[in-house]
Amino acid sequence: MARQPLVMGNWKLNGSKAFTAALIHDLKRELIGVSGCNVAIAPPVMYLAAAENELTGSEIALGAQNVDIHAQGAFTGDISAEMLKEFGAKYIIIGHSERRTYHHESDAFIAKKFGVLKATGMIPVLCIGETEAENEAGQTEVVVARQIDAVINTLGVDAFLGAVIAYEPIWAIGTGKSATPSQAQAIHAFIRRHIAEKSATVAEQVIIQYGGSVNDSNAAELFAQPDIDGALVGGASLKAPAFATIVKAAANAKK
Ligand code: PGA
């Protein structure tokens, strides 16, 4: 069964009310008539309500960049899964390397977030990936396997049914230095094989996005790889024409 790719924009800490309205307006226009690729955007939570409103009647799904593990209570500054859901968010990024680094999020904590999202009926977009030093030390497979096993060992492999993995080598994020299509394909195939050791069915359907300096010129080549199912896009998701070109590349990728 063919997997439908997902191209998701991770706006990170960028935007304003005016920017949100303008970018969504332009994206809707750029993507008219495009099918064969799921599309989502994750603005800062401040702008979810405005984005939900702007996206009414659009095929573009809404997402968020993080979630807390608690449902409610004395957790100053945190946002629950139910709150995100109430504003129409469907795809929730967890375990982004910027959160792992700046907020010291552990594999175990991220696995809890995964479980909370599944329980709330939302789609986790689990970010995994190695540092440059780990890459150079030949540790990439060990690192991504550990990050995936944190979920499998606590929630079971079936947690990946309907879920999304974003393989983002940290050395490629925001650096302009994307992994080559064949480097990325090799790791994506490894990730799928690793999950297949527990369940071939789950491995076959799980969406594995690539992320890290994806742009309008390198997207098509990446998406031509058999195990690359779309992309998590940072910088290039802030410009409607570039993001739309990436979506169209995924929609046109014949596998
Ligand atoms: P980038 O970011 O596209 O700007 O490299 C990707 C990400 O961090 O999700």
Side-chain angles (χ1 to χ4, degrees):
M1 195 196 70
R3 293 178 296 272
Q4 174 113 316
L6 169 68
V7 172
M8 179 159 178
N10 173 11
W11 293 11
K12 307 192 180 183
L13 205 169
N14 294 289
S16 66
K17 286 186 189 174
F19 176 90
T20 300
L23 181 51
I24 294 176
H25 173 270
D26 292 350
L27 271 181
K28 285 196 297 194
R29 197 192 47 216
E30 298 263 0
L31 293 176
I32 288 171
V34 178
S35 64
C37 176
N38 292 317
V39 184
I41 54 168
V45 280
M46 288 300 293
Y47 305 119
L48 275 187
E52 182 189 25
N53 196 34
E54 287 285 339
L55 288 173
T56 307
S58 159
E59 296 276 300
I60 303 170
L62 195 51
Q65 303 171 19
N66 184 32
V67 66
D68 190 44
I69 57 171
H70 299 101
Q72 59 178 48
F75 303 102
T76 303
D78 285 325
I79 308 276
S80 74
E82 285 292 351
M83 289 174 183
L84 296 175
K85 193 176 179 183
E86 194 181 2
F87 284 86
K90 178 173 175 191
Y91 296 95
I92 314 297
I93 299 168
I94 52 171
H96 192 282
S97 63
E98 287 150 17
R99 294 211 59 89
R100 291 180 191 258
T101 304
Y102 305 138
H103 300 271
H104 310 290
E105 294 193 7
S106 67
D107 287 334
F109 184 55
I110 295 159
K112 280 191 189 157
K113 294 185 180 199
F114 199 114
V116 167
L117 291 173
K118 294 293 285 188
T120 317
M122 289 193 288
I123 300 177
V125 178
L126 174 71
C127 297
I128 59 173
E130 81 288 2
T131 63
E132 184 148 46
E134 288 164 340
N135 183 279
E136 283 167 4
Q139 293 296 301
T140 300
E141 294 188 356
V142 174
V143 171
V144 299
R146 187 199 72 218
Q147 292 169 330
I148 289 170
D149 288 346
V151 172
I152 294 181
N153 294 340
T154 53
L155 302 172
V157 71
D158 285 353
F160 281 104
L161 278 171
V164 178
I165 294 170
Y167 168 61
E168 301 201 303
I170 297 171
W171 46 270
I173 296 176
T175 57
K177 196 173 105 186
S178 164
T180 64
S182 60
Q183 274 175 325
Q185 165 58 25
I187 303 303
H188 282 234
F190 169 78
I191 293 166
R192 209 177 295 287
R193 276 200 312 275
H194 185 73
I195 294 174
E197 284 170 14
K198 295 283 187 316
S199 166
T201 317
V202 175
E204 187 49 37
Q205 58 75 57
V206 72
I207 296 299
I208 310 179
Q209 300 176 303
Y210 170 76
S213 296
V214 175
N215 58 41
D216 45 356
S217 359
N218 62 17
E221 239 193 315
L222 287 160
F223 299 154
Q225 303 298 316
D227 287 293
I228 300 185
D229 310 319
L232 185 58
V233 185
S237 75
L238 301 173
K239 297 194 175 92
F243 190 68
T245 299
I246 296 167
V247 171
K248 288 173 196 165
N252 293 333
K254 295 277 176 292
K255 301 251 168 97

